[in-house]
Amino acid sequence: MSSKYQTSIGSFTRKSTFFWASVGATVGLANLWQFPYLASVHGGGLFVLAYLVCLLGVTLPLMVTEAAIGRHSRHGMVLAMDGLVKNAGSSPVWRLAGPLSILASFLVLSFTAVFGGIVVAYIFFGATDSFGGGSTVEATGILAELVSSSGRYREFMGWHAFFLLLVVWVSARGVVSGVERSLRMIVPGGLVLMLGLFAVAATHGQLASGVESILVMRPEQFGLESVQAAFFHAFFTLGLGVGVWAIFGAYSTSHTRLKRSLLAVVLMDTLIAIVVGVMMFSVASGSGSLDGQHGFGLLFVSLPVTLASVPLSQVVIAAVFLAVMLVVWATSIALLESVVAWFREWTGAPRAWSVIIVGAAVWLAGLASLFSFNVWSEYRLAGATTYRWIELIAGGVLIPAVAILVATFAGWGLTKRYSASMLGDAPVLFRKAWLWSMRLILPLVVAWIGTQYIAVSLANLCENGSAAVWCSTSQGTVAEEPTASELESGSESQGETGEGASVTTSTKASTSEEVNREQADPGEDDILYHSV
């Protein structure tokens, strides 16, 4: 007979697993290709402090709420919200948080796996000394040939399928033998590898320069846009709104200290982002090769070029992308678990079949994003490729909607006694802060983030030459709006990867042909925080 903390679909066996699994879910590509850039251009240490305030004061309470909902019900987000709403006698509208979170997780995983395929390919490219020339032109050519070439998209599909098979293989082994055991090895292994790479950077680079870029406070660079950037990064980097915290909370043992563990996860996530940033700028010291770089341009172009000058560069570059692969692998395992757990609770199907069915669906959905960069690059709806619409729907609509529904229901729909029992032992001050954060602060902040996310994304389509209906009415105000990278809603790349078979610079294209190329491959204005 199952013990009282076990769900019908599985459970972790060790209380520390919740911590390692949570670190794997939060430490994602945004820590690698976004945070270093944000800190370097928004005041260094002042941005780090603002980011921590946003994490602890705004997004951590929602993180605790989602995990507590799963822990209290011992179910994934769908059945957990269904039970809570019924017990509270509230409107069925609140139940939408469950299915919307699963859909968001599915969509985010679909394009995260595509990026995972690129990272796996780069381990091979690094090991074979493909970046030996240390030329930006060569590096951008390698990326474009892999991602944008219509003649080699099958190779891209192969890397994508291989990465997804790794994720599916872990999940199919079960919650304990697969997810728990793998995350307990992948996450610490990735951290050890990062520390080794940090030692290399400190030895062969200029550590003081890295510390100055990330941690030294520069008030002249810090302003309102910096605060906006901190809010956006804090919200999108923690994996909120995709059902991960509910299922991990459901899997946690009765001995796991949920709130303390989540606080440690947030601090660990921030520490890793700082270490990565210092490491990158230490290696690049004096070359200026990473100045103003973020997203695709930072990770897949500037970083390999910078590392090409390091002794044993083949080994170092391969090790760097192995560490990145471990990060994306852990994130993808967490995202898949949210969907697989829902599918099992919905259908009662065996785990192996559930994983195969969900994995196949994720692969097919991922092809829509993959083809958007090459063979489908000519096909757009309102000026955007399939991939960009998938990302916009997930990041601008679904994730904010789930966060608002969960926060508002927890703040207003539950009685104080019920919410107290759900949260467990907590200081009175924490409970009061949590309550008003759920009732007022979080819904308003997340609604603002989602609105800005959509508005800036659509405005960027107009700047790129879209003939969509909203462009005729908004074009006059677009110039006054901050860009997606300024809002830091997850701009993924530097515009250094081109469309079709060529590569463009980050300068906006001046002809219609250049505009077409710039939009299909991940470009300067793409918003990709959700490969968390």
Side-chain angles (χ1 to χ4, degrees):
M1 181 176 178
S2 298
S3 59
K4 65 180 181 179
Y5 67 80
Q6 289 182 314
T7 70
S8 60
I9 53 175
S11 175
F12 295 147
T13 59
R14 300 183 183 182
K15 65 179 183 179
S16 61
T17 302
F18 178 81
F19 170 78
W20 291 116
S22 300
V23 171
T26 54
V27 178
L29 289 175
N31 294 76
L32 310 179
W33 65 25
Q34 195 67 14
F35 183 89
Y37 161 77
L38 295 178
S40 67
V41 301
H42 286 294
L46 286 176
F47 175 82
V48 174
L49 289 178
Y51 173 61
L52 272 173
V53 170
C54 293
L55 282 175
L56 299 177
V58 180
T59 55
L60 178 60
L62 181 58
M63 195 177 176
V64 170
T65 301
E66 289 190 17
I69 286 174
R71 170 81 166 265
H72 186 75
S73 65
R74 295 299 175 183
H75 288 294
M77 184 64 88
V78 174
L79 289 185
M81 286 299 296
D82 186 66
L84 283 176
V85 171
K86 285 181 179 178
N87 290 336
S90 301
S91 169
V93 172
W94 303 112
R95 299 181 194 174
L96 288 174
L100 291 179
S101 69
I102 301 304
L103 179 58
S105 184
F106 178 85
L107 293 178
V108 171
L109 177 59
S110 72
F111 57 74
T112 300
V114 174
F115 305 144
I118 300 175
V119 173
V120 172
Y122 266 58
I123 299 175
F124 174 78
F125 294 159
T128 55
D129 202 24
S130 298
F131 304 102
S135 166
T136 301
V137 174
E138 291 180 7
T140 51
I142 290 170
L143 179 59
E145 189 70 14
L146 172 66
V147 175
S148 305
S149 175
S150 298
R152 295 184 59 183
Y153 71 91
R154 289 182 179 85
E155 178 184 342
F156 193 6
M157 290 177 62
W159 293 115
H160 169 232
F162 178 76
F163 176 80
L164 199 51
L165 281 174
L166 291 177
V167 179
V168 168
W169 171 71
V170 169
S171 185
R173 291 167 59 96
V175 174
V176 176
S177 299
V179 175
E180 179 175 17
R181 187 172 299 171
S182 297
L183 289 176
R184 290 180 66 89
M185 291 188 293
I186 292 172
V187 178
L191 295 179
V192 170
L193 186 54
M194 284 185 186
L195 289 177
L197 292 170
F198 183 83
V200 172
T203 303
H204 298 284
Q206 296 184 22
L207 190 60
S209 178
V211 171
E212 182 180 359
S213 297
I214 303 298
L215 294 177
V216 172
M217 298 187 182
R218 298 183 295 276
E220 69 278 3
Q221 291 183 332
F222 191 82
L224 180 59
E225 289 181 358
S226 305
V227 177
Q228 292 176 340
F231 267 119
F232 271 75
H233 192 69
F235 177 72
F236 284 120
T237 194
L238 290 184
L240 300 171
V242 292
V244 168
W245 298 114
I247 197 61
F248 281 175
Y251 287 167
S252 64
T253 71
S254 58
H255 305 295
T256 301
R257 296 184 176 182
L258 210 61
K259 296 181 288 296
R260 183 178 297 182
S261 296
L262 289 175
L263 175 61
V265 168
V266 168
L267 296 178
M268 176 67 80
D269 176 79
T270 306
L271 177 61
I272 292 172
I274 292 172
V275 169
V276 169
V278 171
M279 177 175 62
M280 286 184 174
F281 282 97
S282 296
V283 174
S285 175
S287 67
S289 58
L290 299 187
D291 292 346
Q293 300 291 303
H294 57 121
F296 251 52
L298 170 60
L299 189 59
F300 297 118
V301 177
S302 300
L303 187 59
V305 170
T306 300
L307 294 174
S309 61
V310 175
L312 298 175
S313 60
Q314 287 179 255
V315 177
V316 173
I317 293 174
V320 165
F321 283 101
L322 176 59
V324 176
M325 192 275 283
L326 294 177
V327 166
V328 186
W329 193 10
T331 297
S332 300
I333 291 170
L335 289 168
L336 181 63
E337 191 59 29
S338 174
V339 184
V340 168
W342 159 78
F343 189 83
R344 291 197 65 202
E345 288 184 322
W346 179 47
T347 65
R351 183 173 183 91
W353 280 107
S354 299
V355 173
I356 291 172
I357 292 171
V358 173
V362 170
W363 175 72
L364 288 173
L367 292 181
S369 294
L370 188 151
F371 290 155
S372 295
F373 304 143
N374 37 71
V375 294
W376 288 359
S377 61
E378 299 295 326
Y379 303 102
R380 295 178 179 81
L381 175 63
T385 59
T386 307
Y387 156 72
R388 294 196 69 178
W389 280 116
I390 291 174
E391 198 282 329
L392 176 58
I393 291 170
V397 179
L398 296 177
I399 291 175
V402 172
I404 291 171
L405 286 170
V406 171
T408 307
F409 174 74
W412 297 99
L414 298 178
T415 63
K416 291 184 178 180
R417 178 177 297 180
Y418 196 91
S419 60
S421 67
M422 186 177 71
L423 288 174
D425 294 334
V428 176
L429 182 61
F430 173 84
R431 292 183 182 179
K432 289 184 178 180
W434 172 87
L435 179 64
W436 286 107
S437 180
M438 293 298 106
R439 285 185 170 184
L440 186 62
I441 299 174
L442 258 169
L444 291 177
V445 170
V446 175
W448 170 74
I449 289 175
T451 302
Q452 289 294 307
Y453 195 109
I454 295 172
V456 174
S457 300
L458 297 181
N460 284 333
L461 292 181
C462 298
E463 291 180 344
N464 286 334
S466 173
V469 63
W470 60 81
C471 292
S472 60
T473 58
S474 64
Q475 204 123 28
T477 61
V478 166
E480 298 176 1
E481 290 287 344
T483 63
S485 58
E486 286 172 339
L487 288 175
E488 307 323 327
S489 50
S491 169
E492 169 150 10
S493 67
Q494 277 307 96
E496 294 184 16
T497 56
E499 190 67 3
S502 63
V503 180
T504 66
T505 65
S506 60
T507 305
K508 294 296 183 181
S510 59
T511 68
S512 59
E513 180 181 358
E514 288 172 326
V515 169
N516 288 338
R517 283 203 309 270
E518 199 168 328
Q519 282 186 344
D521 221 29
E524 182 178 354
D525 297 319
D526 283 330
I527 301 176
L528 301 173
Y529 256 114
H530 311 301
S531 38
V532 283

